[in-house]
Every structure is written in C-alpha cells, then in structure tokens.
C-alpha cells in the first residue's frame, strides 16, 4: 500500500515536530524550508570577531515545558536527553530597575519568596506565594483541556472539556479580567506588578489588554527552565535529526510559490523553481496571515482569516553582540525596567511607537547562574526591546536604529550595566527585518496578540477551510513559544493522519458498495 504523501512548509518548531510525528507513523514526509537551516524563529546570527564566527541565538532563549519534547522523543523510540544536553536554571531571571533595586527569581518558590520579602516586604512575599498557587491552578485546569488538545470551538466547548462539575476551576482562569488587574490583587509594589505582568509579553501581548489566564506562563517557568548546551538552535537541529531518523526528508534553501488546490482540496506544492511536489496533505508552518495575504497563491486565501493590523502581536528590535560588559553582574536571563510600564504598551499598541525608556531584555549566552567571563573578555549577548509590528509600513532607517539604540543602552547604563558595543561585532534586526524573515507579519513575532477574553478562540486551529491543508506554528492554537508551537505540530500531525485514514475508509466503503451493486445487477 502506498504511503500518504505530506508536504510540510516551514521548518520551525511546529513543522519539525509535525514532520517527525507524521514520518514515525508511516507518512512520506517532505519538509520545504526557504532558509538554509532549520528553526524558524530559533535562528542563529553569526558574528565575526578576530576571524572567528560566534553564533548568537537571535530568537527564543527560554526552554520550558520539557514534557512536550520528552513525549515526542519517547514516541519516536528515543529520549530527549540522548539528543539535547539540558542544564536546569537555578536563577530564572535577574531583574533591575532604573531607580534602583535588583531582584532574582529562583526555580525554588521558597527562595523567590524570601528574595521578594527582602526586596519589598513580607506582605509581598505572601502575595507571591498566592500568585504561584493561582498560576499553577490555571495551568492545571488548561494543560490537558487546552494546551495539549485541539482548539476549542467556543467557551462552551472548553467548559465541556474541563468538566461541568469543575466550572469553578474554569472561572478561576479569569478570562474576563486583564492580567494587570489580576496581578494587582496579589502585589501592591509597582515593580512586582511590572515583573509579573511581563509574562504577557511571552505571548506578544500587553498585560493591560491580555486576559489574566496568561498568568499560567508564570507557572510554566516555575515548573522548570533549562539552558540548552549549544544554544536554542540546537533544539531545532535535534528535531531535524529526529525527523530524519523517522524517514522525513528536508529541503533547505527552497521556496514554495504556491499551495496547489485541485477539485476543492490540496494536491501539492509548487516551488519557486517550477517543480511541483504532489501531496495528499500539506502542513503550513508559517504565520497564517501569509495564506490570506496571497503569499502562497490565490487558491488558499480563504483557508484561514488574515490578522488585522491592529490585532498583531509585539515585534522587537534586537542587537546581537560580541561585547564586553561592566558594572552589573549578569546571569543568563536579565530584565531591566523603567518606571512607567503602561506607557510602553500604550506607545506600541496605540501610538505605534517605541517608548522613551523601553524595557530591555539581555540574554548573556555565555553565562549560567554563576559563570563569569574573564576580565576584559567579550561575550555573546542578545539585547531586545519591544516594538510595534509595523515592519511592512515603517522604514527603520539608520537614524531610527541609532535613536532606539541610544534609548536602549542608555537605560541599561542607568541600571548600572555598560556594554562596550563594537559596531563591527553587532547585528541589528528591526521590525522591518523580521517582516522580511517572516513574510506577512509586519514583524509580529507571535501571530495574533492575545488581547481580550475571546483571544483563545480567535487563533485558528490545525484544520482550515480547505480540505487537505493544515496549520502549525506559533500563530495557531495553542499559541506562540517553542513548546506551544511544538504542540501545534503534534496536534496537526494527529489530525492529518486521522483525516487521511477516514478518507481511505470512505473510499473502501464506496468501492465495496460499487462491487455489491454490480453483483446485484
């Protein structure tokens, strides 16, 4: 019996996982990726220093929800630890404020509570413990019913999954309340409200517009953060290796011009070279807006709705550096705040601008919890600020980049960190650059922003309006981030195989009826 032929477009986390799952279950899988390497947003920027290239992770830097990957590798007959060297982080992140104060969050709740008590008082320490219990409750309610399942069609569907006898648990996920309002119930200190509100940005959203449900992200981190030896791109490499071991084929540096639809269903993919690859199903692992905006041909524009400009998630401006640092004891993950957090999101989502003093994230990629570079040595850094997703509308020229760099590194200096930037050992990516890397996004890095109580149901699921076309990636359910995108790949693969099996059964049944009919005649 011939194998089901599946084309996966895009070798981001969702596409890589879908390919491995499909291939291990007998499908003939071809992955098409226009970039030269796997990973999608898990990209690596090479910076040359003294004739030596250093790779800087220029996308996601946090590895969480390990259980998703462990289950995938186990299903493929191996183990995660056989492919990745993961080091548990003791310090989740170090936080600093322009007007003073420094706070570490730890993997251990008790240590974090003690640190918060010393930082802001005993009441805030208890507020943190209550917040941890609250975020864990939300996570436990939604892990199996939402994160690891097909997208619920509406609130009633989600309620049915959670269980009518557990509606109180569903209510505690607080979809009608904003994240900032919910956090204010646990913390009075504005600095702590900033710190824990920042978890909304992991989904590309504003804590002042996102539902309190996103507090579950805090528990995801508390449940474990790992540093990946070799960097996050190593995760992509391991997933490619896993897929290849199952029989999937990868074609890099290859662009799909059009998803082919014939007789009302997908029949293959047409490459920019003119080559056509026949397929019984196609999994699209890219931003869903690319379909509606005709980046994959006219036949699939109705497959999924486009994302309105105002509904896009955050973009970013990033600096990948090899530089020496002074004055601040960096760990792997570091966050630097100004005072007016609301202004930052008002600027981005209302005025479409970068605020005067943006929050700055610094990933010191050569450091763990205690690692320190030798005096005067350079280290690999990713410096990031949030930006409006207008890369397809606004041109971030050299003057604009210089201005935003002044704001960014100026805030770091006011927090005590000096970075000696060498322009020859730095690479800047603007929203315009992200839009070029990920077409149809405007530079939005997380698909649709998770704003409002109905955000859960506005992301598309794995199926589309066109038979044979399926979706994976951070712009679809269950959401953005490496583990969520990976889960979307598993969900899409399962649905592809289920639908193809049902189609085969239907054809057999029809053939049987024809035989019986001919005998009767």
């Amino acid at each position: 019996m011939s194998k089901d032929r599946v084309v996966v477009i895009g070798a981001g986390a969702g596409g890589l996982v879908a390919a491995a799952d499909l291939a291990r279950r007998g499908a003939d899988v071809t992955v098409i990726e226009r970039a030269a390497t796997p990973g999608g947003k898990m990209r690596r920027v090479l910076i040359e220093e003294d004739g030596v290239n250093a790779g800087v992770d220029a996308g996601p830097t946090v590895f969480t929800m390990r259980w998703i990957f462990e289950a995938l590798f186990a299903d493929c007959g191996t183990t995660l630890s056989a492919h990745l060297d993961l080091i548990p982080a003791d310090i989740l992140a170090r936080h600093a404020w322009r007007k003073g104060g420094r706070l570490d969050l730890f993997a251990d709740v008790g240590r974090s509570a003690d640190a918060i008590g010393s930082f802001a008082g005993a009441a805030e320490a208890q507020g943190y413990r209550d917040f941890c219990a609250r975020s864990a409750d939300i996570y436990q309610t939604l892990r199996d019913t939402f994160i690891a399942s097909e997208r619920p069609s509406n609130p009633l569907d989600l309620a049915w999954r959670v269980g009518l006898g557990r509606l109180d648990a569903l209510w505690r996920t607080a979809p009608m309340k904003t994240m900032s309002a919910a956090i204010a119930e646990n913390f009075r200190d504005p600095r702590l409200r900033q710190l824990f509100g920042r978890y909304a940005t992991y989904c590309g959203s504003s804590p002042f517009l996102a539902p309190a449900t996103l507090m579950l992200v805090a528990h995801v981190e508390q449940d474990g953060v790992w540093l990946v030896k070799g960097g996050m791109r190593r995760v992509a490499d391991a997933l490619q290796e896993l897929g290849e071991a199952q029989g999937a084929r990868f074609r890099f540096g290859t662009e799909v011009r059009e998803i082919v639809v014939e007789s009302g269903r997908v029949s293959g993919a047409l490459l920019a070279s003119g080559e056509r690859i026949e397929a019984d199903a196609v999994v699209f692992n890219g931003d869903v807006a690319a379909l509606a905006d005709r980046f994959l041909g006219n036949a699939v524009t109705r497959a999924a709705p486009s994302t309105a400009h105002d509904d896009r998630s955050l973009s970013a401006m990033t600096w990948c550096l090899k530089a020496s640092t002074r004055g601040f004891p960096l760990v792997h993950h570091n966050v630097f705040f100004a005072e007016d957090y609301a202004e930052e999101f008002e600027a981005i989502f209302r005025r479409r601008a970068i605020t005067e003093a943006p929050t700055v994230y610094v990933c010191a990629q050569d450091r763990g919890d205690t690692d320190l570079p030798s005096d005067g040595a350079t280290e690999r850094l990713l410096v990031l600020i949030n930006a409006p997703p207008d890369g397809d509308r606004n041109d971030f020229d050299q003057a604009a980049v210089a201005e935003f760099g002044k704001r960014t590194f100026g805030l770091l200096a006011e927090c005590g960190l000096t970075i000696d930037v060498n322009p020859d050992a730095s690479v800047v990516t603007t929203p315009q650059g992200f839009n070029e890397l990920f077409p149809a996004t405007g530079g939005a890095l997380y698909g649709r922003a998770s704003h409002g109580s109905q955000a859960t149901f506005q992301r598309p699921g794995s199926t589309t309006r066109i038979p044979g076309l399926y979706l994976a990636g951070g712009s679809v359910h269950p959401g953005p981030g490496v583990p969520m995108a990976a889960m979307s790949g598993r969900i899409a693969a399962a649905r592809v195989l289920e639908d193809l099996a049902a189609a085969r059964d239907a054809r057999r049944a029809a053939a049987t009826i024809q035989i019986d009919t001919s005998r009767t005649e």
Side-chain angles (χ1 to χ4, degrees):
M1 184 174 64
S2 62
K3 291 185 175 183
D4 293 318
R5 302 162 301 175
V6 183
V7 168
V8 177
I9 302 173
L16 291 167
V17 169
D21 250 346
L22 288 162
R24 77 175 177 85
R25 295 178 63 183
D28 180 358
V29 180
T30 302
V31 182
I32 308 297
E33 169 58 57
R34 71 173 189 153
T37 55
K41 295 185 178 72
M42 283 188 288
R43 65 193 186 100
R44 177 178 292 161
V45 169
L46 294 179
I47 295 179
E48 184 176 333
E49 183 186 46
D50 298 330
V52 178
N53 283 326
V56 179
D57 280 346
T61 57
V62 179
F63 188 87
T64 58
M65 299 176 76
R66 174 176 181 151
W67 58 272
I68 292 176
F69 301 93
E70 287 180 331
L72 171 70
F73 279 78
D75 286 345
C76 290
T78 183
T79 64
L80 180 64
S81 59
H83 294 261
L84 287 176
D85 190 353
L86 301 176
I87 305 163
D90 180 40
I91 301 175
L92 300 182
R94 177 160 290 167
H95 307 84
W97 284 263
R98 182 166 63 171
K99 289 191 174 180
R102 185 186 303 166
L103 175 64
D104 289 350
L105 285 187
F106 298 92
D108 179 74
V109 170
R111 287 186 67 191
S112 292
D114 290 343
I116 289 171
S118 299
F119 178 75
E124 299 293 65
Q126 183 58 50
Y128 171 71
R129 292 183 182 277
D130 294 341
F131 174 79
C132 287
R134 194 175 181 185
S135 61
D137 179 52
I138 295 172
Y139 177 79
Q140 294 302 329
T141 298
L142 297 177
R143 172 182 149 153
D144 296 331
T145 59
F146 178 80
I147 294 172
S149 300
E150 285 263 14
R151 180 181 66 86
S153 56
N154 53 50
L156 184 59
D157 183 13
L158 181 58
W160 184 261
R161 295 184 191 184
V162 172
L164 298 181
R166 299 187 63 237
L167 291 181
D168 58 331
L170 187 60
W171 181 251
R172 290 196 301 272
T173 66
M176 307 303 293
K177 188 178 295 184
T178 67
M179 192 169 177
S180 62
I183 288 171
E185 296 170 359
N186 290 104
F187 302 105
R188 297 186 63 183
D189 191 305
R191 297 169 298 178
L192 296 177
R193 293 182 181 183
Q194 281 181 307
L195 191 162
F196 294 104
R198 185 176 172 272
Y199 285 117
T201 66
Y202 286 33
C203 300
S205 305
S206 162
F208 303 95
L209 299 171
T213 311
L214 289 186
M215 290 193 299
L216 68 82
V217 178
H219 180 73
V220 166
E221 276 207 347
Q222 196 61 63
D223 206 35
V225 171
W226 286 267
L227 309 181
V228 183
K229 188 173 182 179
M232 287 295 290
R233 252 291 307 283
R234 180 67 198 120
V235 176
D237 293 338
L239 290 173
Q240 180 191 343
E241 293 162 8
L242 185 69
E244 288 176 331
Q246 307 307 308
R249 298 183 301 278
F250 290 80
R251 296 180 58 174
F252 295 102
T254 304
E255 187 167 358
V256 175
R257 178 194 301 166
E258 180 182 343
I259 296 173
V260 181
V261 177
E262 295 176 324
S263 302
R265 67 166 293 114
V266 163
S267 61
L270 181 65
L271 306 185
S273 65
E275 178 187 355
R276 173 168 164 161
I277 302 177
E278 304 295 332
D280 300 297
V282 169
V283 177
F284 177 62
N285 176 216
D287 196 288
V288 293
L291 298 173
D293 294 351
R294 304 178 189 277
F295 280 81
L296 279 301
N298 294 330
V300 294
T301 55
R302 65 180 183 87
S306 185
T307 304
H309 178 256
D310 290 343
D311 292 332
R312 290 172 174 172
S313 60
L314 291 169
S315 186
M317 184 170 289
T318 64
W319 291 260
C320 292
L321 310 169
K322 274 296 294 284
S324 59
T325 67
R326 293 177 281 116
F328 186 94
L330 292 168
V331 291
H332 197 81
H333 300 294
N334 310 268
V335 186
F336 299 84
F337 293 102
E339 299 74 45
D340 194 346
Y341 208 36
E343 157 60 20
E344 178 169 349
F345 296 99
E346 176 73 20
I348 290 173
F349 287 110
R350 303 297 185 197
R351 302 198 307 273
R352 320 301 291 190
I354 295 176
T355 190
E356 186 65 32
T359 300
V360 185
Y361 168 69
V362 177
C363 180
Q365 297 178 16
D366 295 314
R367 302 191 187 215
D369 295 328
T370 58
D371 300 333
L372 294 175
S374 58
D375 290 343
T378 59
E379 54 184 314
R380 297 174 302 145
L381 303 171
L382 170 67
V383 178
L384 178 150
I385 61 173
N386 296 321
D390 296 341
D392 53 351
R393 297 187 175 194
N394 293 336
D395 182 15
F396 291 81
D397 58 19
Q398 289 186 347
V401 171
E403 171 58 28
F404 296 134
K406 179 181 177 182
R407 298 181 194 181
T408 300
F409 292 94
L411 185 132
L412 292 176
E414 291 182 74
C415 291
L417 173 65
T418 298
I419 300 178
D420 297 321
V421 178
N422 175 4
D424 294 330
S426 66
V427 175
V428 182
T429 306
T430 67
Q432 183 181 11
F434 283 117
N435 182 63
E436 292 169 357
L437 288 167
F438 311 111
T441 64
L445 297 174
Y446 312 86
R448 184 187 184 95
S450 298
H451 291 163
S453 62
Q454 296 301 304
T456 292
F457 311 103
Q458 291 170 336
R459 283 182 181 273
S462 61
T463 59
T464 72
R465 297 167 184 159
I466 298 177
L469 178 57
Y470 301 84
L471 304 175
S475 67
V476 306
H477 172 82
V482 173
M484 295 291 215
M487 181 55 74
S488 79
R490 302 216 74 180
I491 293 171
R495 188 57 185 268
V496 168
L497 294 169
E498 179 184 332
D499 289 351
L500 290 176
R504 281 195 301 273
D505 291 343
R507 288 194 296 270
R508 290 194 194 102
T512 300
I513 291 171
Q514 285 182 335
I515 292 171
D516 289 344
T517 301
S518 65
R519 286 175 178 172
T520 302
E521 293 175 349

